[in-house]
Amino acid sequence: MRHFFSKITKDKLVYEKMKESEIRYRRLFESAKDGILILDFETGNIVDANPYIVKIIDYPLQKILGKKLWEIGLFDNKEQSELAFSQLKKTGYIRFEDMPIPGRDGKTTEVEFISNVYIESKTKVIQCNIRNITERKQAERKQEFLAKILSILNTQNGWKQLIDDVLFEIKKFTELEAVGIRLKEGESYPFFATKGFPDVFIQEEMSLCQQNKKGTAIHDNKEKLYIECMCGNVFGGLTDPSLPYFTKGGSFYSNKTSGLLAAITEKKKKSVTQNRYNSEGYESVALTPLHSGKEIIGLLQLSDKRPDMFSSETILFFEKIGNTIGITLNRIQNENKIKKTEQYLKQQNANYLILNKEYTSLNKELSDSLNHIKKINGDLINAKIKAEESDKLKSAFLANISHEIRTPMNAIMGFSGFLIEPGLSKKKLEHYVQIINAGSQQLLSVINDIIDISKIESGQITVISELVNVINLLNELFVTYKKSAELKNLKLLCSCDHPNDDIQVKTDGNKIKQVICNLLNNAIKFTTEGKIEFGYKIKENVLEFYVEDTGIGIAPENHEFIFQRFMQAEQTNNQIYDGNGLGLSISKALVEKLGGTITVNSKLGMGSTFIFTVPYVKGMGNLVTSVSAKNSRQYNWKGKTILLVEDDANSHAYIEKLLSSTNIKIHNAWNGKQALELVKNHPDISLVLMDIKMPIMDGYEATRLIRQIRQKLPVIAQTAYALSHDREQALEAGCNDYISKPIERKLFMKTINNYLS
């Protein structure tokens, strides 16, 4: 019996403890700060819910019990809910970090959803814990929003794009109907930038709002503020924290602007105090100042037609945003001021530079004026020195030219006298003729040099571009100079790059030949023993010609000096060398005219190497070749008639002698007038040899008149005029060809044959 009562006592104690535990659980269940739902394991129906979740869902408990989760808005649809319930039964646990729950008032609560399966009294039960994370999500969105705003403000400098991007982010974050930034009058930015305000609301007015004469906000008869006047009140810093609708930060906001309106009956007053916000139906309105230092430079305007969109916390948040925007605007303003200042300083500096330049110019003029007399004196002294040097140079040149002319003339005149001596042997005769010819060539060379230097000074050198066979040209020069080298016991060598190739170049062959001749003449003149080598090398796009000797050499300090006209390098020994000092000067001018350069590499007593280049423009086509020095052809022009027009008796006789072996008939004329008459009266004349400088009528006029009588009659000018423009003038007058005196026999005969054959 005692055992029986003992057992009853124990059961009662267990029951009381269980009841006490149940009461404690129920108390925790009812007071929990998280939402709790109890679901039937088999059906998924809600069997219990604590007050917190009932408040979130905003439905009475009786309407929640027996419902599925999706039916109270915890999932978007039935399929989603059933899929989650199936997974829960299978795994015993599910969790959703971010689940929105829409309320009946349209507001959404963001929650974290965790569901577990546990056993109670041997029965499986599902418990869903729902934690409200709306504030946390809002804080995260605020941080993300602030980061975007700060990024825009810190990375952009253009006001228009910056404000446009800022307003876009504000409208996106707040989901308000209209946002804008309005600056006070006088700011150097667009007056009003908006997102969402209608065009009728956006006006670039000269003043922001209607104010009274004191510049303060207008009130109605019940001392209520009109919304339109808030802009000016905030801008003017006239906000009063003691008044309703204003914050300590100077912002104005109202969640129901229609409640601020008073019945206004006076038409005039209505038009003055027109409420543009209310006329557009905006109920929630906030005006937050943009501070630049202590000054308010603008407003951030937030508006929505829905009421109750703002809280004091929201306004405080946007006051911070506004201050940040204001600081940025201040930075941009300062940067613009700095840029303007820099531009102003640059302009001032430019002006100062101009003035300084003018002052410098004036100072220079004054300095030049002060130094002018000194300069004149110095110039006079230098001019005197140069005049003396010029006189010395002129005297030396004239003496040198006189020597160069008289020396061959002495041989010509002297040995010409020996030719008439009786009993002169054939061997001596040939020897005397060779001496006379050599003297004549030397004299002609002096004359040609003087003519060439005259051409250079007058700019009359012209380049005739033609195809030239370089190897043939050098071979001809080798044949020409071999005898001269052998007479001085010198070895003459000709070296050609690619000797077996047909090297053709488009250039002026006569000028290249003249330069090489000048260099070979000097080499033979200044070399007493050893060898002379000349030739060419192909280097990229140029032909490099060279003449190398083992002669007396040139001191390095005279290398540039020797290319000056009338100059010859001074010799260290007592030997005197012939020459007029024009050859290298002429060569330098010719090479530069051809587009190349000329240099010398030499040391005193160690020989010299002259190198010059011409552009290597490869040529294709028919070659222009020179007259062979060995051409010994005999011409027979029997049946042909030549009119020889020449006023100089010796030249006349010389040409008659040249033509005497050709069986040609000759008519003679001593001036242009006689020539014209002979052409009129003798139609058998086959060719005219026309002198240019003659009495009564010159060769130019005679040729022009002959062309009127016989247009196709060949006329060849043979004249002592040897400049390039003389040839051109003869051809323009109607001559077919041109031969300069002294006449070279083989060329003379070949030229005539070209027209008679």
Side-chain angles (χ1 to χ4, degrees), residues 356-425:
N356 185 56
K357 189 176 181 181
E358 292 176 355
Y359 293 148
T360 303
S361 178
L362 289 173
N363 288 335
K364 187 177 182 302
E365 289 179 6
L366 291 173
S367 178
D368 290 344
S369 297
L370 293 173
N371 293 327
H372 188 58
I373 296 175
K374 292 181 180 179
K375 186 178 183 303
I376 290 175
N377 290 334
D379 289 344
L380 289 173
I381 293 171
N382 292 333
K384 181 182 177 184
I385 294 172
K386 288 182 179 179
E388 291 173 351
E389 290 177 352
S390 178
D391 285 341
K392 289 179 181 178
L393 186 62
K394 180 180 178 182
S395 299
F397 173 69
L398 291 175
N400 201 22
I401 287 294
S402 176
H403 174 269
E404 292 297 308
I405 292 175
R406 289 176 181 275
T407 298
M409 283 296 295
N410 182 60
I412 293 169
M413 295 175 69
F415 283 96
S416 295
F418 292 153
L419 293 178
I420 61 174
E421 289 182 350
L424 188 66
S425 67

Side-chain angles (χ1 to χ4, degrees), residues 450-623:
I450 295 172
I451 292 173
D452 285 340
I453 207 69
S454 176
K455 288 181 182 179
I456 292 169
E457 289 181 346
S458 60
Q460 292 183 4
I461 292 181
T462 56
V463 174
I464 300 174
S465 184
E466 58 190 7
L467 287 178
V468 177
N469 188 310
V470 178
I471 295 176
N472 287 350
L473 185 147
L474 295 182
N475 286 338
E476 290 179 10
L477 291 174
F478 179 78
V479 171
T480 301
Y481 281 91
K482 184 178 180 183
K483 185 67 175 177
S484 299
E486 289 175 349
L487 289 174
K488 292 189 68 175
N489 294 320
L490 299 174
K491 188 175 183 181
L492 183 66
L493 303 174
C494 181
S495 175
C496 297
D497 204 359
H498 305 284
N500 297 322
D501 294 342
D502 188 15
I503 304 300
Q504 301 180 36
V505 62
K506 200 166 187 181
T507 186
D508 192 324
N510 287 331
K511 289 182 174 53
I512 291 179
K513 183 184 291 186
Q514 185 176 351
V515 174
I516 297 175
C517 286
N518 283 338
L519 298 178
L520 286 173
N521 287 335
N522 284 348
I524 293 172
K525 183 191 302 182
F526 296 112
T527 304
T528 56
E529 60 180 357
K531 67 173 183 177
I532 296 171
E533 181 179 335
F534 71 103
Y536 75 93
K537 297 177 182 177
I538 300 175
K539 291 192 175 181
E540 297 181 356
N541 58 345
V542 298
L543 283 180
E544 185 179 276
F545 293 91
Y546 69 92
V547 175
E548 182 179 358
D549 63 57
T550 57
I552 61 175
I554 305 167
E557 60 269 19
N558 290 329
H559 284 185
E560 185 177 355
F561 165 77
I562 61 173
F563 290 104
Q564 297 177 16
R565 64 190 60 175
F566 312 135
M567 298 293 186
Q568 289 181 319
E570 294 180 1
Q571 308 303 323
T572 56
N573 55 27
N574 294 324
Q575 187 173 356
I576 298 175
Y577 294 93
D578 295 335
N580 54 41
L582 295 176
L584 290 179
S585 175
I586 293 171
S587 298
K588 184 175 184 294
L590 293 177
V591 169
E592 290 176 351
K593 191 70 176 178
L594 293 173
T597 59
I598 186 168
T599 57
V600 62
N601 182 16
S602 178
K603 290 183 179 180
L604 201 60
M606 299 178 65
S608 303
T609 302
F610 284 85
I611 299 171
F612 72 93
T613 62
V614 295
Y616 183 27
V617 182
K618 294 182 180 179
M620 296 180 64
N622 296 325
L623 289 173

Side-chain angles (χ1 to χ4, degrees), residues 121-151:
S121 301
K122 298 182 180 180
T123 302
K124 288 184 177 180
V125 178
I126 297 173
Q127 178 175 316
C128 301
N129 292 80
I130 300 166
R131 176 169 294 170
N132 189 342
I133 59 171
T134 302
E135 291 184 0
R136 190 186 80 192
K137 286 293 181 181
Q138 287 178 344
E140 290 175 356
R141 280 196 291 272
K142 280 185 179 180
Q143 290 299 323
E144 183 180 354
F145 167 70
L146 281 173
K148 288 182 179 179
I149 293 296
L150 290 174
S151 175

Side-chain angles (χ1 to χ4, degrees), residues 182 192 197 201 226-231 252 257 261 274-287 299-305:
R182 181 189 288 270
F192 200 6
F197 281 115
F201 190 85
Y226 288 104
I227 301 303
E228 186 176 7
C229 299
M230 291 307 101
C231 293
F252 166 86
T257 61
L261 295 177
Q274 176 190 0
N275 184 345
R276 189 171 293 151
Y277 284 104
N278 185 257
S279 65
E280 294 298 326
Y282 294 117
E283 287 291 343
S284 297
V285 174
L287 305 173
L299 295 176
L300 173 61
Q301 296 176 271
L302 309 172
S303 300
D304 201 290
K305 294 177 181 178

Side-chain angles (χ1 to χ4, degrees), residues 4 172 255 676:
F4 175 76
K172 179 181 175 183
N255 281 315
L676 183 61

Side-chain angles (χ1 to χ4, degrees), residues 644 646-657 670 741:
L644 173 59
E646 174 62 66
D647 71 322
D648 180 71
N650 292 330
S651 296
H652 203 114
Y654 174 60
I655 295 173
E656 280 189 330
K657 179 62 179 176
W670 300 94
K741 296 176 182 177

